[in-house]
């Protein structure tokens, strides 16, 4: 067992942002107060390297300034008093208490502390037992799950909230969104740790608008907590990173809203993703870009598509996707839309290359789809250094981290797409192309000047 655990350590390559950074990043814009339970100064790793919004946007992210004596004696009363006093002065929408390695060793009961603080303040409070031993994906995913559980109301209350804002309640039709009716979509899993501040999130919104859909809320960038409370109004949810998957499952449990996994990277993949969103809304079944198998309900070759008659005529109002495709054709010709992935340095023809993509699983998997559809790639493998899922993987993908195996795979590939920090283990023999794909969760602010939007339409 010891050998297996040591194989998951890093001696050369960097580790990714920790779970507590994911918690802070996911909740940053929602008006709550997030408290890291750790020694004074330990929040600087997050604020300096993992949070590009720190100097341009205010947020209530604090450190508990845990002292050695408090750690030894297990003095939780001081922590509760400090948080209660701060909350009474700052009036946050909610309070989140997150852990680090020291509270893990102390055996801190975060859920119990959260109940005490909520009883004292009357402010919704939740504790997340992060410990710094997992990646940001697990922490951010748990934070968004807490928002879905605590702030998204039951269906009967949702209608009242929508009416107060002049919106129609949750729609229940058999054929939503085709043509004349705009699909409502939540974007789940958007944080700067994966999408940075280069315009990717606004690009996802533009992608939805271009295909006749409207954004209910973006979890959790460029949307307020009030927007996210209306998540139940959506007809389908778009999971753009693994961070959004726990919230997507909770929203499906609570409202029956299906979700689609994928990110609009490259024109061909974006068009297919738009079709999957409509298919998911119609069939009420979850869809994914990955796996190589047709999605449930997807027509076989020669059969009419959903919303199309047997003779090939479009159903009533079925013009949105055609118009969107025409617009994207025009945009790609003028250069305002990526006809292929917007990543500088990619070879024009990948049909004979062994391609390795290193990164977050949903983004890397969507990029793989684009490389196949837009650049003719055949042999593409994903190496996921963060939390991955077998349901989104293909045969040969690496989901369990092993640095030696990762370095070996990089050496066996002819095209490597990864954060520039991986270049140090890429053989410099001229037999492979290394394509820089900076990832905020890996290299922090080091390569901000080299970051480019990779979402289709951004």
């Amino acid at each position: 067992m010891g050998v297996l655990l040591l194989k998951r350590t890093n001696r050369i390559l960097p580790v990714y942002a920790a779970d507590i950074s994911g918690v802070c990043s996911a909740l940053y814009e929602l008006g709550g107060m997030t408290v890291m339970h750790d020694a004074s100064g330990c929040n600087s790793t997050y604020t300096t390297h993992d949070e590009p919004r720190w100097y341009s946007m205010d947020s209530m992210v604090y450190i508990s300034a845990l002292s050695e004596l408090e750690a030894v004696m297990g003095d939780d009363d001081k922590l509760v008093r400090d948080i209660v006093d701060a909350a009474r002065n700052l009036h946050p929408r909610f309070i989140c208490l997150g852990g680090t390695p020291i509270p893990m060793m102390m055996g801190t009961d975060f859920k119990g502390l959260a109940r005490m603080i909520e009883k004292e303040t009357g402010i919704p409070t939740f504790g997340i037992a992060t410990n710094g031993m997992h990646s940001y994906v697990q922490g951010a995913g748990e934070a968004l799950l807490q928002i879905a559980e605590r702030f998204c109301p039951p269906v009967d209350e949702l209608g009242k909230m929508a009416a107060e804002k002049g919106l129609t309640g949750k729609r229940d039709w058999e054929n939503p969104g085709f043509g004349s009716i705009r699909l409502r979509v939540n974007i789940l899993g958007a944080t700067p740790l994966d999408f940075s501040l280069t315009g990717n999130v606004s690009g996802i919104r533009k992608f939805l608008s271009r295909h006749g859909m409207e954004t209910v809320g973006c979890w959790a960038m460029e949307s307020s907590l009030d927007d996210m409370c209306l998540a139940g109004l959506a007809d389908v949810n778009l999971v753009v990173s693994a961070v959004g998957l726990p919230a997507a499952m909770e929203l499906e449990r609570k409202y029956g809203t299906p979700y689609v996994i994928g990110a609009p990277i490259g024109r061909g993949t974006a068009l297919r993703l738009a079709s999957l969103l409509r298919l998911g809304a119609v069939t009420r079944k979850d869809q994914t870009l990955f796996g190589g198998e047709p999605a449930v309900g997807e027509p076989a070759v020669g059969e009419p598509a959903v919303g199309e008659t047997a003779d090939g005529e479009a159903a009533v109002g079925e013009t949105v996707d055609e118009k969107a495709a025409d617009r994207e054709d025009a945009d790609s010709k003028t250069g305002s839309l990526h006809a292929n992935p917007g990543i500088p340095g990619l070879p024009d023809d990948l049909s004979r290359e062994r391609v390795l993509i290193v990164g977050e699983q949903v983004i890397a998997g969507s990029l793989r789809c684009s490389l196949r559809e837009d650049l003719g790639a055949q042999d593409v493998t994903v190496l996921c250094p963060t939390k991955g899922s077998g349901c989104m993987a293909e045969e040969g993908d690496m989901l369990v981290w092993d640095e030696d195996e990762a370095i070996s795979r990089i050496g066996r590939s002819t095209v490597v797409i990864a954060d520039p920090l991986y270049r140090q283990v890429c053989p410099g023999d001229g037999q492979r192309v290394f394509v820089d794909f900076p990832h905020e969760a890996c290299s922090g602010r080091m390569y901000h000047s080299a970051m480019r939007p990779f979402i289709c339409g951004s």
Side-chain angles (χ1 to χ4, degrees):
M1 179 61 73
V3 173
L4 292 177
L5 291 175
L6 284 175
K7 287 175 74 69
R8 301 191 66 179
T9 61
N10 288 35
R11 59 187 177 86
I12 301 173
L13 293 170
V15 295
Y16 281 66
D19 45 14
I20 184 61
S21 291
V23 171
C24 296
S25 182
L27 303 178
Y28 193 88
E29 300 182 20
L30 304 184
M33 182 170 73
T34 305
V35 181
M36 301 182 194
H37 192 26
D38 205 352
S40 180
C42 291
N43 57 333
S44 62
T45 301
Y46 167 70
T47 60
T48 305
H49 300 287
D50 297 336
E51 186 47 78
R53 298 167 292 188
W54 188 253
Y55 296 105
S56 60
M57 181 185 298
D58 291 335
S59 183
M60 290 179 279
V61 179
Y62 300 105
I63 191 87
S64 64
L66 178 68
S67 70
E68 182 179 358
L69 182 61
E70 291 162 3
V72 172
M73 301 301 292
D75 185 5
D76 290 333
D77 289 338
K78 180 179 182 297
L79 173 65
V80 172
R81 289 195 304 271
D82 289 347
I83 293 176
V84 169
D85 290 344
R88 286 172 175 165
N89 289 325
L90 299 171
H91 308 290
R93 296 287 301 274
F94 60 86
I95 301 169
C96 174
L97 183 59
T100 56
I102 295 175
M104 174 188 68
M105 292 186 288
M106 293 165 53
T108 301
D109 180 6
F110 286 101
K111 291 184 179 180
L113 292 175
R115 287 193 295 269
M116 293 172 62
I117 294 168
E118 183 165 347
K119 183 177 180 181
E120 287 284 331
T121 63
I123 299 172
T125 304
F126 47 90
I128 302 177
T130 50
N131 55 26
M133 299 298 174
H134 302 282
S135 80
Y136 70 97
V137 171
Q138 186 162 327
E142 178 63 25
L144 294 184
L145 174 61
Q146 290 290 334
I147 295 296
E149 290 178 345
R150 296 294 300 269
F151 292 95
C152 292
V155 175
D156 53 346
E157 295 181 19
L158 179 66
K160 297 177 182 178
M161 291 178 60
E164 291 174 358
K165 296 180 178 294
L167 302 172
T168 58
K170 186 169 179 62
R171 298 179 289 196
D172 184 19
W173 353 287
E174 295 183 1
N175 193 22
F178 279 95
S180 59
I181 304 176
R182 293 174 64 85
L183 274 184
R184 293 172 176 171
V185 183
N186 288 312
I187 302 168
L188 304 182
T191 70
L193 289 168
D194 286 322
F195 295 92
S196 195
L197 301 181
T198 57
N200 283 314
V201 173
S202 60
I204 298 174
R205 289 176 177 268
K206 291 176 183 177
F207 153 75
L208 294 174
S209 178
R210 181 180 290 110
H211 288 274
M213 307 176 199
E214 62 184 67
T215 303
V216 177
C218 180
W219 294 47
M221 291 176 69
E222 302 177 10
S223 286
S224 66
L225 183 60
D226 290 335
D227 294 332
M228 294 167 64
C229 289
L230 299 175
L233 299 178
D235 306 304
V236 63
N237 291 322
L238 175 60
V239 179
V240 295
S241 79
V243 166
L245 199 53
M249 293 179 177
E250 173 62 17
L251 293 173
E252 185 171 42
R253 184 197 67 78
K254 186 173 285 190
Y255 302 117
T257 310
Y259 59 85
V260 177
I261 302 175
I265 301 176
R267 179 180 180 275
T269 300
L271 287 172
R272 188 155 64 89
L273 186 60
S275 297
L276 288 175
L277 285 166
R278 295 185 177 282
L279 183 62
V282 171
T283 62
R284 315 304 295 168
K285 294 181 179 179
D286 304 331
Q287 311 290 334
T288 177
L289 275 175
F290 320 127
E293 296 294 330
V296 177
E298 186 174 340
V301 176
E303 293 183 1
V306 177
E308 188 178 77
T309 61
D311 58 3
E313 294 181 356
V316 176
E318 163 69 5
T319 58
V320 172
D321 281 344
E322 294 175 2
K323 291 179 179 179
D326 291 341
R327 284 195 298 270
E328 292 191 357
D329 278 332
D331 288 343
S332 63
K333 291 176 182 177
T334 60
S336 61
L337 183 69
H338 305 310
N340 52 41
I343 302 175
L346 274 175
D348 293 330
D349 183 7
L350 296 176
S351 59
R352 298 179 181 274
E353 306 290 349
R354 293 191 304 276
V355 183
L356 178 69
I357 305 171
V358 182
E360 187 280 324
Q361 192 175 19
V362 174
I363 295 173
S366 302
L367 177 57
R368 168 163 53 192
C369 293
S370 180
L371 296 182
R372 287 172 173 167
E373 296 171 12
D374 299 317
L375 297 179
Q378 301 295 324
D379 184 358
V380 188
T381 303
V382 167
L383 192 161
C384 179
T386 61
K387 184 180 179 180
S389 171
C391 68
M392 296 186 287
E394 294 186 9
E395 184 177 355
D397 288 354
M398 179 177 165
L399 302 183
V400 179
W401 180 253
D402 180 335
E403 186 180 66
D404 292 337
E405 176 63 18
I407 294 173
S408 175
R409 290 194 181 209
I410 290 173
R412 298 197 302 267
S413 304
T414 58
V415 176
V416 179
I417 305 172
D419 187 274
L421 289 181
Y422 281 80
R423 188 183 288 273
Q424 62 185 317
V425 297
C426 185
D429 53 11
Q431 298 183 12
R432 59 196 48 75
V433 176
F434 189 97
V435 180
D436 289 338
F437 190 30
H439 189 179
E440 194 94 37
C442 177
S443 55
R445 62 180 182 176
M446 291 177 64
Y447 300 101
H448 268 184
S449 60
M451 288 183 178
R452 298 291 181 270
F454 54 84
I455 292 296
C456 180
S458 55

